Amino acid sequence: MAHDSTRRHTWPSRDRTVGTQTQWEQKENSLVIINDPIWGPIERHPLCVRVIDTPEFQGLRSIKQLGGCSYVYPGACHNRFEHSIGTSYLAGCLGRALQKKINEQGLRKLEISEKEILCLELGGLCHDLGHGPFSHLFDLMFYPRVKMKNDDLPRWTVIHVVHHEDNSLKMIDRIFKSIKFDDFITLEDIEFIKELIQKPFDGYKTYKNQPEKQFFFEIIANDLNSIDVDKWDYFSRDCHMLGLHHNFQCERTIKLAKVVEHDGKWHVSYPKSEWFNLFDMYYTRFTLHRRAYQHQVVKAVEIMITDALLKADKWLTFPPGAKNGVCLSESVIDMNAYLFVTDEVLHQIRMLPSKSTEENKKDIEDAIEILDRINRRDLYRLVGESKITWKDQPNQEKKKDYKQSLQEWMKSEKFNEWMKQNEIEEVDLKLYHTERTGLILFPRKGQKCERKLTVERFPSVIHLHVAK
């Protein structure tokens, strides 16, 4: 992905004319063409370019989109940087498509302004700023385990999982303190951008007095039915980089999207004729999870990387080399440190000096040995897999029950005998599971507005690996 400096257009600010701008100001207010491998040449607003040209955003270049997938699919080396730019582009496309439909329908109370579209583009651009090393490996695999050993770490959710969106909001605050933005948006708009990324625990503040415009919050992070531009970009991008075929066409979905009223609330909706295309979207998600994200070797590698990070956690320092730096797990509460927490952490582990204490020496040697095992392809082995279909919405209690039932199976006589023969301890067993959601559609105007719930719910998968 490269900037095309040969094609730039002037974007005049609201408070001064192009004729009075200095050369630097004209450069700052010019549209930039970015050649994206998925969506082709796309224009980015000058304020988006200012955000891109910050250390906080540039750090996404060093965070792989798919964590450990590149150890199975060599092409899966794309990063959060390009995905964020693609999500920003699709957010703008969907915003303009809805703007056109609303104008055609004459729904004045729903009218979308150019500044609101800019906020959508900025929201798409910034939604992944809080990701840690190897993307979801850090917040879903490493952090929950290190949190169990350290009660001083923040309990950001009821399940002890630190959400990368929380740190995305902190990174947004850092960025807009360091760049000029008031020629295009206000402080209130920045709060709107943050709410587009993550719903506040106490509800949306933006458009609280205009509930009909809260359909905006279904564009980037849709907690109603998971149909949003974030997924549209990574479905297309991941399939392209993995070499997997997919039938879902988000360009068609964008052209057919409109805002409709349902049960007194306004939602982004799609006609019934789009049912099969949206089903393809969910099937694409299932395919990606089954063939890539939850691939048994990918999970083995990611479990091993997690183990290495846990071993090296308290011996790593961020910012690197800082006298008063913090360890890896504590970096989530210090954005000055978290800025340096990327996939480069594996190289940092190898550079760690062995200090005088035996504990330090053993932890570092163990971490490096795990990384060496990955490079030698001496990976944890898959010994069992269980497919689970959730009849109802899964909750933590149900997941705990399934995990306990699997652990009971692990304690059976034959399994214990197998473990004994292979000199495998129970602590060597690693459990991992995932889940998928359903689908909601809205019909065309003039038809009875009934909600279609859960067109398909794909099964969860639990993998059981051994570390030996």
Side-chain angles (χ1 to χ4, degrees):
M1 181 176 300
H3 291 249
D4 185 351
S5 59
T6 62
R7 294 182 59 190
R8 290 186 175 230
H9 307 278
T10 300
W11 185 283
S13 62
R14 296 181 303 198
D15 57 351
R16 56 182 180 266
T17 62
V18 176
T20 62
Q21 289 179 330
T22 65
Q23 184 178 1
W24 180 86
E25 288 170 334
Q26 289 179 5
K27 181 181 178 181
E28 282 291 292
N29 292 319
S30 60
L31 287 172
V32 171
I33 306 294
I34 295 177
N35 188 35
D36 185 85
I38 307 301
W39 312 117
I42 58 179
E43 292 183 346
R44 291 298 79 209
H45 188 280
L47 185 54
C48 291
V49 176
R50 293 180 203 173
V51 171
I52 292 172
D53 295 337
T54 61
E56 290 81 4
F57 193 87
Q58 291 294 320
L60 296 178
R61 292 182 184 271
S62 299
I63 299 175
K64 287 188 179 69
Q65 174 79 11
L66 298 185
C69 277
S70 61
Y71 287 90
V72 177
Y73 293 90
C77 291
H78 55 303
N79 51 54
R80 291 281 163 181
F81 180 89
E82 54 198 271
H83 163 61
S84 297
I85 292 175
T87 302
S88 173
Y89 168 70
L90 292 182
C93 289
L94 182 54
R96 290 186 180 87
L98 295 175
Q99 181 188 53
K100 180 180 178 182
K101 294 284 181 63
I102 288 170
N103 291 341
E104 290 173 353
Q105 293 175 280
L107 299 172
R108 295 186 62 84
K109 63 180 180 179
L110 302 179
E111 283 184 349
I112 299 175
S113 67
E114 288 299 318
K115 188 166 77 165
E116 288 170 327
I117 291 177
L118 173 57
C119 288
L120 287 173
E121 292 179 342
L122 289 166
L125 199 63
C126 298
H127 79 286
D128 274 349
L129 285 172
H131 265 297
F134 298 93
S135 295
H136 291 294
L137 178 153
F138 186 80
D139 54 356
L140 297 181
M141 298 178 70
F142 167 76
Y143 193 83
R145 289 179 63 186
V146 80
K147 167 63 183 167
M148 289 189 291
K149 301 177 182 179
N150 186 353
D151 289 334
D152 293 332
L153 291 174
R155 182 181 177 179
W156 289 5
T157 71
V158 295
I159 56 173
H160 288 197
V161 174
V162 54
H163 279 299
H164 70 271
E165 287 90 351
D166 295 310
N167 277 356
S168 292
L169 305 189
K170 294 179 183 179
M171 287 294 185
I172 288 173
D173 290 334
R174 282 177 60 96
I175 286 176
F176 284 106
K177 285 179 182 177
S178 66
I179 66 172
K180 180 177 175 59
F181 62 85
D182 57 1
D183 48 344
F184 294 112
I185 62 173
T186 64
L187 290 173
E188 290 77 13
D189 295 326
I190 294 174
E191 293 304 310
F192 174 41
I193 291 167
K194 290 161 71 174
E195 291 188 351
L196 287 170
I197 296 171
Q198 186 179 52
K199 182 179 180 179
F201 288 113
D202 53 351
Y204 297 115
K205 306 293 190 303
T206 310
Y207 300 126
K208 189 174 182 179
N209 298 323
Q210 292 178 279
E212 67 275 5
K213 298 198 79 172
Q214 291 196 2
F215 65 86
F216 277 114
F217 304 112
E218 299 173 10
I219 292 177
I220 295 171
N222 189 344
D223 63 353
L224 176 65
N225 54 33
S226 298
I227 303 175
D228 53 51
V229 296
D230 176 24
K231 293 176 183 60
W232 294 350
D233 181 83
Y234 78 68
F235 289 163
S236 297
R237 195 172 302 276
D238 292 355
C239 284
H240 177 77
M241 302 306 292
L242 291 164
L244 300 178
H245 177 72
H246 73 102
N247 293 321
F248 173 63
Q249 299 174 332
C250 72
E251 297 95 328
R252 170 187 167 90
T253 303
I254 288 173
K255 291 181 183 296
L256 293 172
K258 64 193 308 184
V259 180
V260 301
E261 188 177 10
H262 176 67
D263 288 345
K265 296 181 180 180
W266 293 84
H267 299 280
V268 179
S269 67
Y270 310 93
K272 282 187 175 180
S273 61
E274 193 63 2
W275 189 93
F276 282 106
N277 193 35
L278 287 172
F279 178 83
D280 280 336
M281 183 196 80
Y282 279 98
Y283 190 75
T284 297
R285 187 184 186 202
F286 168 73
T287 300
L288 284 167
H289 272 276
R290 201 68 186 93
R291 297 180 64 182
Y293 308 157
Q294 311 304 332
H295 188 286
Q296 64 188 54
V297 178
V298 171
K299 296 325 303 177
V301 170
E302 291 187 344
I303 293 170
M304 294 179 77
I305 292 174
T306 301
D307 286 348
L309 295 181
L310 289 168
K311 289 285 185 181
D313 175 30
K314 57 186 177 182
W315 311 115
L316 291 163
T317 303
F318 298 93
K323 291 184 178 179
N324 298 319
V326 297
C327 68
L328 178 61
S329 56
E330 293 176 356
S331 67
V332 299
I333 56 179
D334 183 350
M335 293 302 100
N336 291 321
Y338 198 66
L339 185 63
F340 296 91
V341 181
T342 67
D343 293 2
E344 298 296 320
V345 67
L346 298 190
H347 298 298
Q348 291 170 253
I349 290 175
R350 293 186 178 279
M351 299 297 292
L352 284 173
S354 294
K355 298 180 182 176
S356 57
T357 65
E358 285 299 318
E359 181 188 12
N360 164 272
K361 186 177 180 180
K362 186 176 188 313
D363 283 345
I364 294 175
E365 287 178 351
D366 288 349
I368 293 175
E369 172 58 23
I370 292 172
L371 299 182
D372 287 341
R373 284 186 61 180
I374 294 174
N375 289 340
R376 296 195 304 266
R377 209 71 175 176
D378 179 17
L379 307 177
Y380 294 174
R381 289 176 290 162
L382 178 72
V383 298
E385 177 180 291
S386 176
K387 296 181 181 179
I388 298 171
T389 301
W390 306 106
K391 293 181 180 179
D392 303 305
Q393 185 67 25
N395 55 38
Q396 293 308 307
E397 287 300 317
K398 291 179 182 177
K399 293 176 186 177
K400 186 177 179 180
D401 291 342
Y402 278 117
K403 186 172 180 178
Q404 288 177 343
S405 67
L406 190 59
Q407 288 172 333
E408 288 299 317
W409 167 77
M410 288 160 49
K411 295 178 181 178
S412 66
E413 293 182 7
K414 290 184 178 180
F415 191 79
N416 284 338
E417 184 179 347
W418 178 86
M419 289 175 62
K420 186 176 180 180
Q421 290 174 350
N422 290 273
E423 298 181 348
I424 295 170
E425 302 292 335
E426 198 164 329
V427 294
D428 293 326
L429 299 173
K430 313 291 180 182
L431 283 172
Y432 186 81
H433 77 271
T434 183
E435 67 207 51
R436 291 149 191 106
T437 56
L439 169 65
I440 299 175
L441 290 173
F442 295 96
R444 289 181 181 275
K445 182 180 179 181
Q447 295 178 336
K448 188 176 180 181
C449 207
E450 294 181 350
R451 194 178 290 185
K452 283 184 176 291
L453 289 171
T454 315
V455 171
E456 188 72 39
R457 187 175 294 280
F458 296 111
S460 295
V461 177
I462 289 184
H463 287 156
L464 176 64
H465 288 80
V466 292
K468 294 248 180 168

